[in-house]
Amino acid sequence: MHLIQKYPSLFQAYIGVGQVTSMYLNEKVSLDYSIQQARLKKDSVAMAQLQKLRKHYPSRSKNEISHLYLSRKWLRHFHGDFCEGTNVGQLYKNMDSFATRYYKDSLIAKGQAFTMNAMWDEVMQVDLFKTVREVKVPVYFIAGRCDYNTPSTLAYKFFRKLKAPQKQFIWFENSGHYAAFVEPEKFNRIMVQEVLADKGT
């Protein structure tokens, strides 16, 4: 979002999937969702850990990466990144043989850990509500109805406030955070028939 704001001539359009808006609010909404689910399901173990976590996370100053991992552990447990009935296996089921041969969970986990430890403090300062109010390129947001990893409710609030020459918010009703993988046919159709068609390419 900052790039298209600063260099609009370099972009034909922007497509946000699982769009981050404000990381502080992101983590607050995500954690509140898990606590609500723990209460509904009378999960005392989850409730104890999540209530303890909420006392100091998220913070507007200092956030430990371990707190993020704990929050995400319970978020996945309560289907906050995948709709119930779908799961992480759907990310990989359509991989071609080349991708399957070189895909290694251990290396991805190592890379994610390195990146998050290096950038977490900076990432937590992201707040597009304050820094991006207008862009000069068409914007498409794709949001999973069940996404509480990067809550789609926040993405929609940001979308409503954002000024752009053309903008569209597209709900994926059967997806959480990984809409492009869980509903690939719909995603591809939108890319070809709407996004590319709008640009005449």
Side-chain angles (χ1 to χ4, degrees):
M1 293 301 298
H2 289 143
L3 280 172
I4 64 170
Q5 184 184 47
K6 192 171 182 179
Y7 306 107
S9 64
L10 299 180
F11 298 88
Q12 290 191 356
Y14 175 81
I15 303 157
V17 184
Q19 179 67 47
V20 169
T21 53
S22 159
M23 279 304 297
Y24 173 81
L25 293 177
N26 192 103
E27 294 309 292
K28 190 174 185 306
V29 171
S30 184
L31 185 55
D32 286 347
Y33 166 83
S34 293
I35 290 173
Q36 179 190 48
Q37 292 301 306
R39 186 176 291 118
L40 286 171
K41 298 179 188 310
K42 297 180 170 57
D43 188 327
S44 59
V45 174
M47 181 62 77
Q49 291 186 21
L50 291 166
Q51 290 283 25
K52 182 179 178 182
L53 180 62
R54 185 159 66 173
K55 291 178 181 177
H56 46 78
Y57 182 79
S59 165
R60 291 196 182 273
S61 55
K62 182 63 178 173
N63 294 278
E64 299 293 335
I65 197 74
S66 59
H67 298 157
L68 168 70
Y69 292 148
L70 179 59
S71 180
R72 288 297 182 272
K73 166 193 160 183
W74 287 114
L75 185 73
R76 175 152 294 178
H77 179 78
F78 291 121
H79 305 286
D81 60 348
F82 286 91
C83 292
E84 198 159 357
T86 63
N87 57 63
V88 70
Q90 292 189 251
L91 302 187
Y92 317 122
K93 70 176 183 178
N94 294 318
M95 273 188 180
D96 62 25
S97 59
F98 178 86
T100 304
R101 192 182 332 149
Y102 292 102
Y103 182 91
K104 289 183 174 58
D105 282 323
S106 60
L107 288 179
I108 288 179
K110 187 176 180 181
Q112 287 176 334
F114 174 83
T115 301
M116 292 308 294
N117 279 306
M119 298 187 65
W120 184 231
D121 289 342
E122 183 178 348
V123 167
M124 278 300 291
Q125 300 306 312
V126 170
D127 189 347
L128 299 185
F129 287 100
K130 294 179 179 177
T131 59
V132 181
R133 292 186 171 89
E134 183 175 5
V135 294
K136 302 296 185 182
V137 301
V139 171
Y140 300 83
F141 283 175
I142 289 174
R145 185 68 71 175
C146 303
D147 189 2
Y148 287 90
N149 191 322
T150 51
S152 44
T153 52
L154 289 177
Y156 188 66
K157 287 180 181 178
F158 174 66
F159 171 84
R160 292 281 303 273
K161 292 177 179 293
L162 181 67
K163 293 181 180 179
Q166 179 182 337
K167 61 180 187 176
Q168 189 174 350
F169 197 95
I170 305 162
W171 287 103
F172 277 53
E173 298 294 340
N174 301 311
S175 296
H177 187 58
Y178 306 96
F181 299 94
V182 176
E183 299 181 71
E185 294 84 4
K186 179 177 179 178
F187 181 83
N188 292 337
R189 184 173 65 253
I190 288 168
M191 294 303 102
V192 173
Q193 296 181 2
E194 297 189 35
V195 178
L196 292 178
D198 283 346
K199 300 309 297 178
T201 56

